Amino acid sequence: MITIEEQIKTYAKKLGADVCGIGAIERFAKYPSEFSPAGVWDKCRSVVAFGIALPKGLFEAEPRLIYGHYNELACTTIDNMLLKAAKYMEETFDCKAIPMPSDSPYEYWDSDEMIGKGLISMKAAAVSCGLGQMGKSTLLLNETYGNRLVLGIVLTDMELISDPLASNICIPGCTKCIDSCPTGAISADGVNQKSCRLNTYGHTKRGFDTVDCNKCRAICPRAMGK
């Protein structure tokens, strides 16, 4: 008999997800309450994480206008996927489900330090759902797709079985992302968002958004997967 977890993952693949993982609410117990699934919805019992991988060639494309455009499009694509998945789960399993914005909107913003925090961290949630391991650059590293995944999650009141946690993806002792950061934003303590943002995001003369730096992502030995 096909389990509910398998049915959800099969549907996620039909929607276009490259990966799908599940984490029971106990996996999120150490999250700050204001950024936890239970903080968003007290009936949440499980989290389903989805990911779609950016094409490998985008990491070599110039100008960075191309990379930024399709990264943004991928966020919109996965948001649409999450909406369909949440409706499918409710209709198929007689549950309730809440899709969460992949990238924006979010409320927390420290203007002085330029620190933004999503309603729930997609990367941390993906780790808790077994999709990968957090790299030193704080990018999610997946065994198959490296750091190319754009992520999204659905909260549900169903009690689902967690997937095994990932490990041994980030190379011990590797400091390439730290050493290559042009602003020194990456350290053993994490990423200084202000230094990163000021160097990373720009605009064309016409006003279109650009991503001018993704060096930590491109230089990672696990960027394309193991």
Side-chain angles (χ1 to χ4, degrees):
M1 183 176 178
I2 301 176
T3 66
I4 293 176
E5 292 82 3
E6 290 171 332
Q7 291 179 67
I8 292 172
K9 291 177 183 179
T10 297
Y11 187 74
K13 294 295 179 67
K14 287 181 179 179
L15 290 176
D18 292 306
V19 293
C20 180
I22 295 171
I25 194 63
E26 291 76 18
R27 289 258 179 98
F28 299 83
K30 294 183 179 180
Y31 279 42
S33 59
E34 65 270 32
F35 300 110
S36 71
V40 172
W41 185 37
D42 61 3
K43 294 183 178 66
C44 180
R45 294 294 174 267
S46 304
V47 176
V48 183
F50 301 74
I52 53 176
L54 295 172
K56 296 177 181 178
L58 282 181
F59 293 83
E60 301 177 8
E62 294 290 349
R64 298 258 52 87
L65 182 71
I66 303 170
Y67 170 86
H69 174 73
Y70 282 102
N71 189 71
E72 183 176 348
L73 179 61
C75 290
T76 301
T77 299
I78 204 163
D79 277 347
N80 291 330
M81 185 185 301
L82 298 173
L83 179 61
K84 292 177 181 178
K87 291 180 65 176
Y88 163 80
M89 289 164 63
E90 290 191 339
E91 293 167 1
T92 306
F93 306 115
D94 191 27
C95 68
K96 291 183 179 178
I98 300 177
M100 299 297 297
S102 171
D103 182 47
S104 61
Y106 56 82
E107 294 188 44
Y108 182 94
W109 175 249
D110 181 329
S111 57
D112 291 332
E113 298 300 325
M114 298 183 72
I115 296 174
K117 295 182 181 181
L119 300 174
I120 296 173
S121 168
M122 294 295 114
K123 293 177 290 186
V127 170
S128 295
C129 291
L131 291 188
Q133 180 183 16
M134 202 78 80
K136 300 177 186 71
S137 63
T138 73
L139 293 171
L140 181 82
L141 300 178
N142 175 268
E143 185 172 17
T144 302
Y145 297 103
N147 60 28
R148 295 182 290 123
L149 289 175
V150 177
L151 302 162
I153 62 174
V154 172
L155 313 182
T156 178
D157 58 2
M158 287 191 292
E159 294 188 355
L160 301 174
I161 298 173
S162 297
D163 285 309
L165 295 173
S167 61
N168 301 320
I169 302 176
C170 187
I171 301 171
C174 178
T175 59
K176 286 191 174 183
C177 60
I178 295 173
D179 299 338
S180 68
C181 180
T183 64
I186 307 172
S187 70
D189 297 322
V191 175
N192 182 305
Q193 286 197 29
K194 185 173 185 177
S195 296
C196 178
R197 288 180 190 276
L198 289 174
N199 182 65
T200 298
Y201 301 108
H203 306 279
T204 66
K205 292 180 180 179
R206 182 79 183 274
F208 296 115
D209 293 336
T210 61
V211 176
D212 299 324
C213 179
N214 68 348
K215 186 164 288 186
C216 62
R217 206 169 194 178
I219 202 169
C220 175
R222 295 288 189 248
M224 302 301 156
K226 277 191 173 182

